[in-house]
Every structure is written in C-alpha cells, then in structure tokens.
Amino acid sequence: MTNGVYKNSVVVKRARRGYLVDAAGRSLPSVSTILNATKPPEAREALAKWRDRLGAEEAGRIATAASRRGSQTHAHIRRYLAGEHPTCPDAVRPYWESLEPIVAEIQNVRLLEAPVFHYDLGYAGKVDCVASYRGVPCVLDWKTGDRPKGSIERLYDGPLQLAAYCGAVNHYCEAEKIHIREAMLVVAIPHQPAEVFWFEPEAIAQYWGQWQRRVGEYYRRMGSK
C-alpha cells in the first residue's frame, strides 16, 4: 500500500480543450496536445490506414471503448493509492487483476493524477502517479490493452510522454525537493500479468532530448509562446 500522499489534486481554472491553466491563470498546452500536433507523417498515415481498414464507425467504437476502460481503470487505481477501499467495477476487474501485483509494491505516493507545469519550456501535463516502486522514486503511467505491446517501439510516443512528465514534475515540484530520474509504464492486459517497461535515467535523458525538440517544433508551428 501507500503512505504520505503529497498531492492528489491541484485546483486549476477551467481551460480550453488541450490546455491546462494553473491557479494564476496561465494557460499551457498539454503533453498530449504537443505530441498530437507534432506527430510524424508516417504515424499519421498508419492511423489513417487503420481507420480506413476498419471503417470510421468501428474505429470510433474501438477508440471510445478503449478510452472508457482506461478512464475507469485509472479512477480505480487512483482511489486505491489514495488509501480508499473502492469496489472494483466488473469492467475494470480484468485490468485491475493484471496490474494489482505491481500496485502492491508502490509506496510513498507523492502525486496522483496531478497537473504539473513546466514554465520554462511552456507545457503542462497530468501525471498518473509519482511514487516509489521497489524503493525507487519514479513517474508511473498506466495503460490498458487487449494484448501485450511486446516492444518499446509499440509504445509509440509513450516514452516521450514519460520524459515530459519527469521534466515537468522536477520543474514544478522543485521546492518540495522532488527529483525524478526514472519512470515506469505499465500495460494492464486481461487474464495476463501486466507488461512493465522500466526506463533508466539514461533512457529518460535521451527521450527528454527528443521531447524538447517536439516542444520546439510545436511552438514553431504555432508561431511563438
């Protein structure tokens, strides 16, 4: 289980879609907004082919179902790590059973689905969790899937997202002396143990460089901050 939750929510003002606004009213684009706006042409083409192959209606149905199960699973994990004793919804149970052994080894939770802002680079994000896993402080990100990813390449922009969160957490929470150098992405899969991808500091540093370039590209396309 967990202890010492530092923040599980931060009150921010309502923002337009794709942006987060801090308590002072400054609006910054989200990590997802920047990644989507700077997606490489080959990734856009692959997504378009997938939609064409399935048809718009079926592709939309699959995307909506995946989004719903992801939101429900995240909500259950958040409540559990916050020290509640939530009843697991039937739709979430296969995913929860997949990742429960991982969650059981999480301690010293500092952030839970909390907005974080990187003012120097000009972006924001909502980090799933900052805690210690097997004694190592890290950023954690939860995913759900119908089958294992099998490789880091099939995580697509997931590693960049993790590096972005690490950077934003370290920047935004500097006064609290939170400094994260490692990250873990966990994919919950029904009727199978969760798939775990662990990123050492060297890997995070490499993805951080790629992320900075994507942020720069985003602002070049948008004009200026």
Side-chain angles (χ1 to χ4, degrees):
M1 269 297 294
T2 63
N3 56 70
V5 176
Y6 165 61
K7 299 175 183 175
N8 64 359
S9 64
V10 177
V11 177
V12 294
K13 299 177 181 179
R14 184 178 297 276
R16 70 184 187 272
R17 185 176 178 84
Y19 286 72
L20 292 175
V21 181
D22 67 11
R26 180 168 182 179
S27 174
L28 292 176
S30 70
V31 172
S32 295
T33 294
I34 292 172
L35 289 174
N36 288 334
T38 59
K39 194 182 296 291
E42 57 271 21
R44 294 185 183 280
E45 183 179 349
L47 180 60
K49 287 182 178 179
W50 175 77
R51 289 185 178 277
D52 289 343
R53 185 172 69 252
L54 294 178
E57 184 175 346
E58 178 64 9
R61 185 194 66 78
I62 292 174
T64 299
S67 177
R68 183 182 299 114
R69 81 186 182 206
S71 296
Q72 291 175 338
T73 302
H74 275 74
H76 186 74
I77 297 169
R78 181 187 68 245
R79 293 180 62 192
Y80 180 88
L81 289 176
E84 301 178 28
H85 301 281
T87 299
C88 187
D90 290 341
V92 172
R93 188 171 302 281
Y95 301 97
W96 172 246
E97 290 175 349
S98 173
L99 56 77
E100 186 176 10
I102 303 297
V103 177
E105 297 196 65
I106 293 174
Q107 296 179 322
N108 193 28
V109 176
R110 307 297 298 277
L111 299 171
L112 277 176
E113 294 197 11
V116 288
F117 298 82
H118 199 302
Y119 297 110
D120 288 348
L121 285 182
Y123 72 91
K126 192 173 183 181
V127 62
D128 284 354
C129 182
V130 174
S132 293
Y133 176 71
R134 296 181 177 176
V136 181
C138 61
V139 163
L140 297 103
D141 194 67
W142 315 110
K143 306 290 186 186
T144 60
D146 294 323
R147 60 185 64 84
K149 298 293 184 180
S151 68
I152 289 177
E153 289 71 27
R154 295 200 63 190
L155 297 177
Y156 303 107
D157 282 335
L160 295 184
Q161 188 178 41
L162 287 173
Y165 290 152
C166 285
V169 166
N170 292 337
H171 178 83
Y172 190 59
C173 301
E174 184 177 13
E176 287 78 25
K177 301 187 185 302
I178 296 179
H179 186 72
I180 304 298
R181 302 175 64 239
E182 297 175 79
M184 183 168 70
L185 190 151
V186 183
V187 184
I189 309 158
H191 315 301
Q192 295 186 43
E195 191 176 20
V196 176
F197 295 89
W198 181 264
F199 296 87
E200 298 284 352
E202 295 78 9
I204 291 296
Q206 180 181 5
Y207 288 119
W208 173 246
Q210 295 178 32
W211 166 248
Q212 288 179 293
R213 290 191 287 274
R214 294 282 284 268
V215 175
E217 180 183 349
Y218 173 82
Y219 278 109
R220 283 194 295 274
R221 292 185 180 188
M222 298 297 291
S224 63
K225 291 187 183 180

